[in-house]
């Protein structure tokens, strides 16, 4: 019993702190009574603890089963087939295949149907595999277990998918809520619980939920034995922040609000368990309602390819028309004379000279099938195969494998590989993507002295570069070294942000603490001149917070459960300085103080009299404490601007020094807070406290305002103590990655649900912002006007116009602008009449940061960028709140981190660290783009070259639709004889190696500028195809015209001519692809030369087969063509004639107009990079797009600044941090 | 009393155990890391010039050799379809050819322009005759030709499938039905030049495509008579004219081998040809030619191949020179970084 009591008391203590903010007297039904319950949109009825009722009508709500798959076993076939035949080309081939069963066909049905079945089958197989993977993921979630009330107060574990509406569930600490729940009670007596909603909105701070008072007694399993209640509430909707409903319990009605609702996919924290009733299950839950159907995305190249296919299709129709008119004419005027065709006797009407129009129309169909080779049927399937293999390379890339989490990169859909090479704008989430959501105490300024030797990466790199330039050796430029020395050493260096001397000392890291300065550590601070101020500083760190200590029983250390990670970092710092916060009671905080390492700690008690909460509006928090000597102190920490304006006259002693330090810290990307205190007089405090208590107990909406006002009264006349600098720990390699991406010419927008201050700090930390950048902040001011919305919009419009003017009028080319906007303002900015103005301004800015944006807004911003600029966007995020954005963007990348899988499930690619984005885009994207682009162009070439010869020949057969080639040749042409080389081009081609891609980010711009798939290139290749077809056909026809082609006097028949021509085609297109490739591994050699060999082998085998199969091709190679020199001679000349113009073209281009990758290939070829390392390094540093963001840009800016200093004769090169 | 056990069990079982992690690690291989050894040829000036020169060097001799071979071939072409029509019938040649009562014999004299070494190939050449018409090409059945037991297989032989009473025609189809039926006899002075009609078709055709036990049946028995009749007592594999004819030509102008004269002819020899002008080309204004030709290792007389080789070879020499000039006039040191885009226009874009 005693134990239970203690626990009860402890719970009280825990929650008391937070109750401060959500204190609310009783359940009030009167004022906020939901108006329309039971009406449309509010018809849901939940019978608590009677889930069986919900199994049947009319309350037949779905189970908690979720499915994100596109198909199921029954719908797969029709749906997937429908998807396949949404492609125009496939419909065409389907029609052709059907028509091939009728007499109009020029080919055998098999040769039409087999490729179609193959192509469609392959694509469907791929779809099925991808959907299967989704299904497995869903099942993992569905099979999670939760404790559910079965009967008579017994709880048992059930799979999530078995949960029904009305079930009472018990969720334990650190578990996800399986469905949307109504909170009944928690392990705390006052029915509160802490919830982490990171998966919903990306916010990492804990939210407090509070149950109704009437349900508080239901806090044991047995209590649910005969618990019944009815909930009437709104219907399922996607709105995360509203809930309307009421609870009928105990014959009374209580209003419910979002405070009592626990949403699926959020997590229970700091609370050992809660009981709840399931309200919305499965797809009815708010998070699932928010999930939009994952759109099937298609890459730009593919869309363009469709247009080319339409173009080819029009050509196809055109030549078919020509040929059918020709046929009609020939049939009408020629046919009656061609007695050997017996034109009189034709029941099918196909060749009836008396009905030339009918014959012509029939022939149109024939011709459409015959020239189908213009439209590469195998193009789609080859692209699918290539993309799957490319995706395999992405999945297997060890450079994108994260050892820590054990996750490799994953291309979840392979449709978009080449799109990775064309990205223009990256929209990134912050928490979990750029940052790890962990704070490190790095520096502080106390009494005007800056402590903390650990320097940030920017300072270090700048110092190095300055040093090397001063010594006149540009080779040693830091950026150069950073890049050349590969990644490993430099990354560690930059990552830790410390100079090598401290590297060892820092290794045994304490989470949240990277401070390094002997002046303060180990009690040395006592020897500093301002020891008393330092003492106060440490006490503020230890006292002014809302955290709770947790004793780790194994190590005896304390860890801290804090609302925000920076608070935890402060407490860790205080502990390391010798001020260990060890205990919090309802009214006191206990700190174990140890002034020097030899002393034993002394536990001191500080009475917490008042706690003035932090809010984003106040930007500060304070505590009023009474120390052991009875002195009353107000300790305050907050944003520097806020604190500075509240300083007393004698409190400004260190203001100028501290300001300087704060600027330095800010520059270094650190998150800063100023600390101050005030000694209170008893009488003054007593008066103020009375007012405070009054305000606190006010009932009504104005309570907050009053509290704020009262707090204001005492938080003044402060005395500045110092400032802290905390590093919001970035994910590994983020600054470098952003730097590289910026150099590759990519624009980066940060969209975060976080506070504006946090976002700006991160902007600094990852070099999206820097000192000297002009920040444009768009915000809504609270206006008192008739029409608030209109006024706000007008105001915003003015802000945007002004800012645009400013950007336009800026003369300095080095000036950079940053746009910072918050979610509320964004609502207006995204409206139709404003969005273009806003977008234009945003595009002109070097970096854009949107704060406090909802998931929906993230998606809207993404759409705005995507549609407004017409360029390719990539969205990257890790949480469920990023899903909308990930789905909206052209490419969605999910971070497969620790939390949740929603983002990954919705994404097209998943990587486990932001830094892998660099390799994903610069290497894989670049390669895939070029591969696919070249491959498609080549496909067009190949099929035009082949298809047109059929047309020419037909003109010589009286347009009768006869093909010169054997059906089998045509069947094999696309499927076997030319498919593997082009696949090897699409899979293995590398214009430059991956190292070069990374070293020369500017090469990436070839993708966004679309150098390899513009109309010029496409038509160039088509022209090449046209030329080749002419050469192949007319050379062969002339060579085999009418005379004997062998010493034996035999003349060539159709089989001989067709086979020779086909041999020429095989040679020409394969030599062509060999000329196109720049990277030959044994695979390419095997495929290209193997294809040619295969053709001869096939011809041999085909010739050997029964003459019933091979017909006129029987023994053709061995007997007729092989021994004929003219056969080989014609192959040689046609192949040469086809490829010489292309060879001349590429030689000329390389000679006179080399592209970047040409030059780099040459440098590598001649090993100049090894011989002339100086040049190589210089080019690497130059090879970037001009950028105003990123690490390098910042180093440049810093150098400019330092150089300025140097001129003013302030040499501070060696240690720029301690000045 | 409180249910503490429930509170202490931590629910998040997501933490992956170590072995599972390892299994996700991609295995290293040079293939999956795209690091296979590769040769990366680039078009250096040396390469470009030498490739073009090499093509020229190879092609021009081939071209010369082809032209020489073609020039060695002696060819006599005699167009006879107009001259063989009697003067009084020139206005209605179709009536002439259709009238079986008129004697179609016609005599032509050919002068040998140059010495012709045996074998001298005799061809007939038709013009404007669409042997490659789809209706025509399809109209045959290989199974029937090969196998005596499959006489009834007349699929795709429309419209020459069966006789009026339904019994199958062997060989069926339009091709066989329209077999060429002009005949030639040659005399040199008063000596008969025998024409060897053996082995004028492909050996594989005789042995495997046309059955040795398949005999013509119901052939040319219908009301419509197409071309030649076949000897019903000779098996199809021996009917070499048919076998040659059945190899449909690719173009509307074609030659087919008629036979071989295995006697050397001297310059200025005069050959008298006695021919039966039976075949109807008058309906469609087709020409008929008789061709006597020798053959070189490259086949018949055709200058095109040689000219083509010389042209391509010549243009390669031209290109080689042109590129030499380009490289001399506008030299670019390969791998010269100043050609990189960021060095060419330093403003960036």
């Amino acid at each position: 019993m005693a134990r239970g009591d203690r626990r009860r008391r402890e719970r009280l203590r825990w929650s008391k702190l937070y109750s401060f903010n959500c204190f609310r007297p009783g359940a009030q039904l009167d004022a906020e009574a939901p108006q329309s319950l039971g009406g449309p949109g509010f018809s849901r009825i939940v019978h608590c603890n009677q889930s069986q009722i919900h199994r049947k009508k009319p309350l037949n709500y779905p189970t908690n089963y979720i499915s994100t798959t596109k198909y199921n076993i029954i719908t797969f076939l029709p749906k997937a087939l429908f998807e396949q035949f949404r492609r125009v080309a496939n419909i065409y081939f389907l029609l052709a295949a059907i028509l091939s069963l009728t007499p109009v066909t020029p080919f055998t049905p098999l040769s039409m149907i087999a490729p179609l079945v193959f192509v469609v089958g392959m694509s469907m197989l791929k779809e099925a595999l991808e959907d299967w993977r989704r299904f497995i993921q869903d099942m993992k979630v569905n099979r999670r277990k939760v404790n559910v009330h079965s009967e008579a107060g017994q709880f048992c574990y059930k799979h999530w998918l078995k949960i029904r509406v009305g079930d009472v569930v018990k969720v334990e600490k650190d578990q996800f809520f399986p469905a949307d729940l109504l909170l009944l009670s928690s392990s705390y007596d006052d029915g509160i619980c802490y919830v982490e909603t990171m998966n919903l909105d990306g916010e990492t701070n804990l939210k407090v939920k509070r149950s109704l008072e009437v349900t508080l007694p239901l806090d044991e399993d047995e209590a649910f034995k005969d618990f019944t209640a009815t909930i009437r509430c709104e219907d399922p909707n996607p709105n995360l922040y509203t809930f309307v409903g009421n609870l009928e319990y105990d014959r009374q009605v209580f209003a419910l609000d979002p405070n009592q609702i626990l949403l699926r996919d959020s997590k229970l924290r700091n609370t050992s368990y809660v009981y709840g009733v399931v309200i919305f299950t499965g797809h009815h839950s708010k998070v699932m309602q928010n999930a939009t159907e994952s759109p099937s995305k298609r890459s730009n190249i593919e869309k363009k390819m469709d247009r080319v296919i339409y173009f080819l299709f029009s050509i196809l129709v055109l030549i078919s028309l020509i040929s059918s008119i020709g046929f009609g004419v020939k049939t009408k005027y020629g046919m009656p004379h061609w007695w050997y065709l017996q034109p009189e006797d034709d029941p099918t009407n196909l060749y009836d000279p008396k009905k030339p129009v009918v014959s012509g129309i029939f022939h149109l169909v024939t011709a459409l099938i015959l020239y189908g080779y213009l439209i590469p049927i195998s193009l789609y399937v080859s692209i699918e195969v290539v993309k799957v293999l490319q995706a395999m390379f992405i999945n297997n890339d060890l450079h994108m494998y994260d050892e820590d989490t054990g996750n490799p990169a994953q291309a979840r859909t392979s449709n978009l590989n080449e799109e990775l090479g064309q990205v223009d704008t990256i929209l990134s989430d912050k928490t979990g993507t750029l940052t790890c959501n962990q704070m490190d105490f790095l520096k502080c300024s106390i009494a005007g002295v800056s402590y903390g030797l650990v320097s940030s990466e920017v300072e270090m790199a700048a110092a190095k570069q300055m040093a090397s330039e001063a010594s006149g050796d540009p080779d040693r430029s830091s950026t150069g070294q950073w890049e050349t020395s590969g990644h490993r050493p430099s990354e560690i260096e930059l990552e830790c942000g410390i100079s090598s001397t401290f590297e060892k000392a820092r290794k045994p890291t304490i989470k949240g603490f990277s401070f390094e300065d002997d002046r303060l550590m180990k009690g040395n601070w006592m020897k500093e001149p301002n020891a008393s101020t330092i003492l106060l500083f440490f006490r503020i760190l230890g006292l002014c917070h809302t955290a709770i200590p947790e004793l780790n029983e194994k190590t005896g250390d304390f860890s801290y459960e804090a609302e925000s990670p920076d608070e935890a970092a402060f407490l860790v710092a205080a502990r390391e300085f010798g001020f260990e916060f060890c205990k919090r009671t309802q009214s006191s905080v206990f700190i174990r103080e140890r002034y020097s390492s030899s002393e034993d700690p002394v536990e001191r008690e500080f009475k917490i009299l008042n706690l003035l909460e932090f809010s984003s509006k106040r930007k500060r928090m304070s505590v009023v404490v009474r120390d052991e000597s009875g002195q009353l102190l107000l300790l305050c920490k907050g944003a520097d601007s806020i604190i500075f304006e509240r300083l007393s006259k004698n409190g400004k002693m260190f203001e100028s020094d501290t300001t300087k330090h704060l600027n330095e810290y800010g520059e270094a990307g650190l998150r800063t807070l100023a600390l101050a205190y005030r000694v209170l007089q008893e009488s003054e405090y007593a008066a103020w406290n009375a007012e405070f208590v009054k305000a606190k107990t006010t009932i009504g909406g104005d309570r907050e305002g009053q509290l704020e006002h009262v707090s204001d009264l005492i938080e003044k006349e402060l005395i500045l103590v110092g400032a802290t600098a905390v590093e919001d720990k970035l994910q590994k390699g983020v600054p470098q990655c952003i730097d590289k991406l910026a150099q590759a010419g990519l624009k980066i927008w940060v969209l975060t649900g976080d506070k504006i201050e946090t976002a700006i700090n991160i902007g600094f930390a990852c070099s999206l912002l820097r000192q000297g950048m002009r920040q444009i902040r768009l915000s809504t001011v609270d206006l008192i006007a008739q029409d608030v919305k209109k006024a706000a919009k007008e105001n915003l419009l003015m802000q945007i116009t002004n800012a645009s003017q400013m950007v336009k009028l800026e003369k300095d080319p080095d000036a950079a602008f940053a746009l910072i906007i918050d979610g509320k303002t964004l609502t207006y900015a995204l409206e139709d009449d404003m969005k273009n103005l806003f977008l234009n301004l945003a595009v002109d800015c070097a970096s854009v940061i949107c704060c406090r944006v909802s998931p929906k807004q993230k998606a809207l911003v993404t759409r705005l960028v995507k549609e407004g600029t017409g360029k390719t966007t990539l969205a990257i995020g890790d949480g469920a709140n990023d899903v909308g954005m990930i789905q909206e963007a052209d490419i969605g990348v999910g971070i497969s981190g620790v939390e949740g899988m929603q983002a990954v499930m919705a994404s097209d690619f998943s990587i486990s660290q932001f830094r892998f984005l660099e390799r994903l885009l610069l290497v894989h994207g670049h390669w895939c783009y070029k591969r696919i682009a070249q491959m498609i162009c080549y496909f067009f070439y190949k099929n035009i070259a082949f298809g047109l010869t059929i047309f020419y020949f037909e003109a010589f057969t009286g347009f009768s639709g006869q093909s010169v080639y054997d059906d089998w040749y045509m069947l094999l042409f696309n499927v076997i004889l030319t498919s593997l080389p082009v696949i090897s081009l699409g899979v293995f081609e590398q214009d430059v190696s991956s190292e070069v891609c990374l070293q020369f980010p500017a090469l990436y711009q070839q993708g966004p500028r679309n150098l390899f798939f513009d109309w010029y290139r496409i038509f160039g290749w088509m022209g090449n195809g046209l030329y080749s077809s002419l050469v192949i056909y007319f050379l062969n026809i002339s060579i085999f015209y009418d005379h004997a082609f062998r010493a034996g006097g035999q003349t060539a028949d159709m089989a001989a001519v067709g086979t020779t021509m086909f041999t020429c085609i095989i040679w020409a297109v394969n030599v062509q692809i060999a000329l196109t490739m720049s990277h030959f591994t044994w695979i390419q050699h095997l495929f290209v030369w193997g294809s040619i060999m295969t053709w001869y082998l096939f011809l041999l085998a085909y010739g050997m087969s029964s003459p019933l199969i091979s017909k006129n091709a029987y023994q053709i190679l061995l007997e007729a063509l092989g021994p004929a020199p003219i056969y080989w001679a014609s192959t040689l000349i046609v192949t040469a004639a086809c490829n010489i113009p292309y060879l001349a073209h590429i030689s000329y281009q390389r000679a006179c107009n080399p592209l970047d990758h040409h030059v780099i290939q040459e440098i590598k070829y001649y090993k100049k990079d090894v011989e002339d390392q100086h040049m190589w390094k210089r080019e690497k540093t130059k090879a970037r797009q001009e950028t105003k963001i990123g690490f390098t840009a910042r180093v440049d800016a810093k150098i400019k600044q330092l150089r300025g200093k140097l001129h003013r004769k302030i040499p501070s090169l060696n240690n720029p941090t301690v000045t | 009393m409180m249910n503490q056990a429930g509170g202490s069990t931590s629910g998040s079982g997501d933490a992956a155990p170590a072995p599972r992690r390892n299994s996700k690690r991609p295995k290293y291989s040079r293939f999956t890391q795209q690091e296979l050894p590769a040769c990366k040829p680039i078009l250096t000036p040396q390469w470009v010039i030498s490739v073009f020169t090499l093509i020229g060097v190879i092609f021009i001799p081939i071209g010369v050799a082809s032209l020489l071979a073609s020039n060695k071939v002696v060819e006599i072409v005699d167009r006879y379809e107009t001259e063989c029509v009697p003067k009084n019938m020139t206005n209605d040649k179709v009536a002439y050819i259709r009238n079986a009562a008129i004697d179609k014999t016609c005599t032509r004299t050919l002068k040998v322009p140059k010495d012709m070494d045996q074998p001298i190939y005799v061809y007939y050449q038709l013009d404007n005759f669409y042997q490659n018409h789809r209706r025509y090409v399809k109209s045959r059945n290989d199974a029937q030709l090969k196998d005596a037991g499959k006489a009834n297989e007349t699929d795709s032989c429309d419209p020459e499938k069966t006789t009026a009473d339904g019994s199958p025609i062997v060989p069926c189809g339009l091709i066989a039905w329209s077999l060429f039926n002009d005949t030639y006899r040659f005399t040199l002075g008063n000596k008969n030049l025998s024409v060897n009609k053996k082995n004028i078709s492909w050996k594989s055709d005789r042995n495997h495509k046309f059955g040795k036990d398949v005999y013509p049946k119901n052939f040319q028995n219908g009301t419509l008579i197409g071309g030649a009749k076949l000897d019903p007592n000779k098996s199809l594999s021996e009917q070499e004219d048919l076998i040659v004819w059945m190899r449909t030509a690719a173009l509307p102008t074609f030659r087919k081998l008629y036979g071989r004269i295995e006697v050397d002819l001297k310059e200025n020899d005069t050959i008298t040809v006695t021919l039966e002008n039976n075949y109807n080309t008058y309906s469609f204004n087709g020409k008929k030619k008789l061709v006597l030709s020798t053959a070189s290792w490259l086949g018949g007389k055709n200058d095109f191949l040689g000219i083509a080789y010389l042209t391509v070879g010549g243009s390669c020499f031209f290109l080689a020179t042109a590129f030499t000039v380009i490289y001399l006039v506008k030299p670019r040191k390969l791998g010269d970084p100043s050609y990189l885009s960021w060095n060419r226009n330093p403003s960036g874009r």
Side-chain angles (χ1 to χ4, degrees), chain A residues 474-720:
Chain A
D475 267 13
R476 291 246 184 92
S477 72
S478 62
T479 36
Q481 218 165 40
W482 175 41
E483 283 157 338
T484 42
S485 51
H487 279 254
R488 301 309 132 210
S490 54
E491 226 166 63
I492 295 163
E493 197 172 66
L494 291 170
E495 161 88 17
C496 307
I498 51 164
S499 49
S500 51
T501 38
F502 291 106
E503 202 158 355
K504 288 218 173 63
R506 203 195 174 188
K507 278 297 163 199
T509 44
I510 301 148
K511 195 182 161 196
F513 191 69
S514 305
F515 185 83
E516 195 65 54
D517 195 334
D518 284 341
R519 288 177 292 174
L520 293 187
M521 301 299 289
K522 300 192 185 89
N524 288 341
W525 57 271
M526 303 275 285
K527 296 169 202 145
E528 291 288 304
N530 283 311
S532 60
T533 321
I534 297 176
L535 173 71
L536 203 55
F537 180 88
F538 291 155
R539 281 195 176 152
I540 297 177
L541 289 186
L543 289 170
C544 185
H545 57 78
T546 55
I548 299 143
E550 259 185 12
L551 184 65
N552 183 332
E553 275 160 22
K554 275 182 216 148
T555 58
D557 282 342
F558 286 99
S559 62
Y560 302 103
E561 289 279 356
E563 206 181 334
S564 71
D566 24 0
E567 241 171 32
F570 286 157
L571 288 168
V572 171
R575 184 183 74 199
E576 296 302 315
F577 289 132
F579 292 76
E580 187 169 41
F581 164 53
C582 59
K583 199 160 129 198
R584 180 189 281 278
T585 67
Q586 206 164 349
S587 57
S588 303
V589 166
F590 293 85
I591 291 186
R592 279 188 201 150
E593 295 188 353
R594 181 210 292 257
Y595 289 165
S596 77
S597 41
S598 53
E599 267 177 60
D600 279 338
V602 188
E603 187 164 306
R604 286 181 217 269
E605 180 186 0
F606 294 87
K607 290 210 154 37
I608 304 286
L609 304 178
N610 300 88
L611 181 73
L612 311 179
E613 268 281 334
F614 183 89
S615 77
S616 54
K617 203 167 170 193
R618 281 162 39 81
K619 293 183 182 165
R620 63 183 183 272
M621 82 163 283
S622 314
V623 283
V624 180
V625 298
R626 191 190 292 277
D627 68 9
E628 282 180 327
S629 62
Q631 197 181 21
L632 273 177
L633 285 173
L634 176 111
L635 308 178
C636 180
K637 68 174 185 199
D640 44 7
S641 57
I642 304 285
I643 300 285
F644 283 1
E645 72 193 20
R646 293 173 179 277
L647 293 182
S648 69
K649 272 196 188 115
N650 59 350
K652 293 186 176 179
M653 236 161 73
F654 318 119
E655 194 186 344
S656 61
D657 283 336
T658 312
T659 312
K660 203 179 91 199
H661 295 151
L662 280 171
N663 287 341
E664 277 171 16
Y665 300 158
E667 166 86 346
L670 303 175
R671 198 200 272 246
T672 55
L673 281 180
L675 306 187
Y677 77 102
R678 178 186 179 191
V679 182
L680 293 174
Q681 301 307 314
E682 286 293 340
S683 55
E684 188 191 2
Y685 171 72
W688 174 82
N689 193 33
E691 264 191 72
F692 184 70
V693 170
K694 203 174 116 202
K696 211 167 139 183
T697 47
T698 317
I699 296 168
D702 197 32
R703 198 168 61 100
E704 306 258 312
Q706 285 205 22
L707 272 176
E708 206 175 287
H709 174 71
V710 176
S711 304
D712 238 18
L713 292 178
I714 199 155
E715 290 169 326
K716 60 181 186 190
E717 300 290 308
L718 301 174
I719 299 164
L720 185 67

Side-chain angles (χ1 to χ4, degrees), chain A residues 3 339-342 396 403 407 931 1043-1044 1049 1053-1054 1080 1112 1119 1129 1150 1154 1156 1162 1179, chain B residues 4 24-25 33-34 39 123 130 135 160 203-204 209 247-248 280 300 302 309 332 335 341 343-344:
Chain A
R3 197 170 157 207
W339 58 267
Y340 49 90
L341 294 178
Q342 294 196 2
N396 279 305
E403 298 283 351
N407 285 328
R931 289 167 177 175
H1043 48 274
D1053 67 333
M1054 214 157 86
F1080 287 89
N1112 280 344
E1119 189 182 16
R1150 191 183 275 273
D1156 292 342
E1162 288 159 7
E1179 293 312 322
Chain B
Q4 283 221 306
K24 272 193 181 177
R25 186 192 162 91
Q33 301 309 309
Q34 309 192 52
C39 80
Y123 302 92
Y130 287 92
R135 183 175 163 87
E160 275 299 312
K203 195 167 158 234
S204 63
K209 261 168 112 172
R247 283 249 171 209
T248 47
N280 176 11
N302 183 15
Y309 264 99
R332 179 174 77 85
S341 62
N343 291 331
R344 272 201 269 187

Side-chain angles (χ1 to χ4, degrees), chain B residues 230-339:
Chain B
L230 293 174
D231 180 353
N233 299 319
K234 268 167 92 179
S235 72
L236 288 188
S237 70
E238 293 165 73
Q239 315 256 14
E240 291 207 36
D241 278 329
L242 177 75
I243 298 177
V244 170
W245 182 253
M246 291 289 276
R247 283 249 171 209
T248 47
L251 295 173
T253 304
F254 59 88
R255 275 177 204 174
K256 283 186 184 290
L257 197 53
Y258 180 82
R260 282 188 308 276
I261 297 174
E262 283 159 341
V263 177
D264 289 344
L265 297 178
K266 295 277 162 302
E267 197 173 337
N268 294 328
D269 279 354
T270 306
I271 307 167
T272 314
V273 186
T274 315
L275 56 86
E276 294 279 328
N277 183 19
N278 295 323
Y279 203 68
N280 176 11
T281 56
Y282 302 102
S283 300
F284 48 87
N285 285 326
K287 296 172 202 146
K288 282 199 267 193
K289 286 174 189 162
L290 171 65
V291 181
L292 296 180
S293 170
T294 59
S296 67
W297 56 276
L298 213 50
K301 189 169 188 65
N302 183 15
D303 292 345
F304 183 82
L305 188 68
I307 293 167
Y309 264 99
L310 289 179
T311 316
V312 173
S315 29
C316 280
F317 275 130
F318 169 76
L319 283 170
T321 330
F323 274 104
T324 317
V325 172
I326 288 176
Y327 292 132
L328 287 177
V329 171
K330 214 181 151 194
R332 179 174 77 85
K333 214 173 108 217
L334 284 188
D336 180 358
S338 61
Y339 278 83

